[in-house]
Amino acid sequence: MFTHSIRRRLVIGSAALTATALALAGCGRSEDAPSGGSQATTTVSEGPATGNLTVWAMGTEGENLPKLMEQFQQANPGVKVTVTPIPWDAAHSKFTTAITAQSLPDAAMVGTTWMGEFADLGALDPTPQGFDTNGFYPGALDTTKVGDTQYGVPWYVETRLVYYRKDLAAKAGITTPPTDWDGLKAMAKAMKEKAGAKYGINLQPGGTGSWQTVMPFAWSAGANLTTDDQKEFTFDTPEMQEGLKYYQSFFTEKLAGTDLPPNQTEAQFVNGQVPMFISGPWMAGSVAKLGGDAIKPNIGVFEIPKNKTSTSFVGGSNFVVFKTSKNKDSAWKLVKFLSDPKTQAAWFKMSSDLPAVKSAWQDPSIASDPLLPVFGKQLESAKAPPAVVNWEQVANAFDTEIEKMAKSGQSPADTAKATQTKASSIGTGS
């Protein structure tokens, strides 16, 4: 599973979080610091890129990237880049087939949760020396590391916040967004009892990707998904149970519902039926498109409320170079180009992707947006799932147990135990 693909990749063009564009820029770095990967012993040569490069990219990124490659080719007249767009639903199998057949492109956009699997298959080239990683959001950088080795760089990121209707919050007597668990629970109750909502908040009650809604609560309670060496999963812990218990309480207290039709979050938000939900930045443009001018000023967001910490989920995509590339030097120069702040400013105008490097958020079109800076702040503490080979299988097992907990009343303790049993049986693959 690709951590960012769980979101519905709505075609909103340059639609913004509010009325402005949501596309963002992303990864600047210098050339004087090592990458930190234990196998990263090569460096990128001086001078322009040359020769032919093949690149794969998925979704709207695959459609838009050729425009950006025109700029790269203008700056490097001796190189020709061919971009192949790939549908998301076919991407994973296409990559694994190509790995087996040794028919990979030179470089590609790769989903963050595929990194462990592809590295284990020996497909990825370690990031060479000369890439300064200090400017990246820590959670995003962690998605490129498998064991002690860094592969590629974060290209873009996304994280999750709590969306809320400002007007209905005011009607419910909430003038300041909550910052802790008790405050979120109180706000959900007020939305239902005072603002006329059917449910105070929409929390995904199972199904594919529901772990992405649960884990911000578990991480905030101090839970971890694996041991430090990533050799074993750690679902059955008091901290995990605490996060699961808090999540389940919204359903047992009828503040969140299991009977809501799927894929109608925007409509439920616009009509006031469910005026809060947890999701990523793309949803603001989607809600604004559906609700029009009347809803735009009433879209608010706040960080995941704190227990021990305020920790959300970070997803996105990385950009990698494959070991089979015949033109690695130029391929890594392309990655550096994509990591340059000026390039990212151009990409900002083409895509709906959040920047993985913090300095890119200083662009006025980002800094002046009423919602985007909150996402940037949340990214400071956001976490990703472990870059281990079998994470997708374990995530599917976790989703199944989450659904039992939300819909059938399975206890948090039993949910944690059952998930641990399944995860231990699957193993990390490390």
Side-chain angles (χ1 to χ4, degrees), residues 170-184:
K171 185 177 180 180
I174 307 293
T175 57
T176 303
T179 59
D180 59 22
W181 279 13
D182 288 343
L184 179 62

Side-chain angles (χ1 to χ4, degrees), residues 25-30 68 131-132 136 152-155 319 332-345 357 359-360:
C27 339
R29 63 198 68 273
S30 66
L68 201 60
F131 284 78
D132 177 13
F136 286 112
V153 298
W155 187 28
F319 223 91
W332 281 114
K333 287 173 181 175
L334 171 60
V335 174
K336 282 196 172 186
F337 169 80
L338 293 172
S339 301
D340 184 87
K342 292 181 180 179
T343 305
Q344 295 297 327
V357 78
S359 63

Side-chain angles (χ1 to χ4, degrees), residues 45-51 53 72-73 75-81 327 329-334:
S45 70
E46 298 295 330
T50 59
L53 289 173
F72 181 67
Q73 291 172 148
N76 299 268
V79 73
K80 180 181 179 182
V81 183
N327 196 2
D329 189 68
S330 290
W332 281 114
K333 287 173 181 175
L334 171 60

Side-chain angles (χ1 to χ4, degrees), residues 34 59 80 104 110 138 150 157 162 179 185 206 211 264 312 334 381:
K80 180 181 179 182
L104 289 157
V110 169
Q150 182 189 338
V157 295
V162 183
T179 59
K185 180 71 69 70
W211 67 269
Q264 294 187 23
S312 192
L334 171 60
S381 59

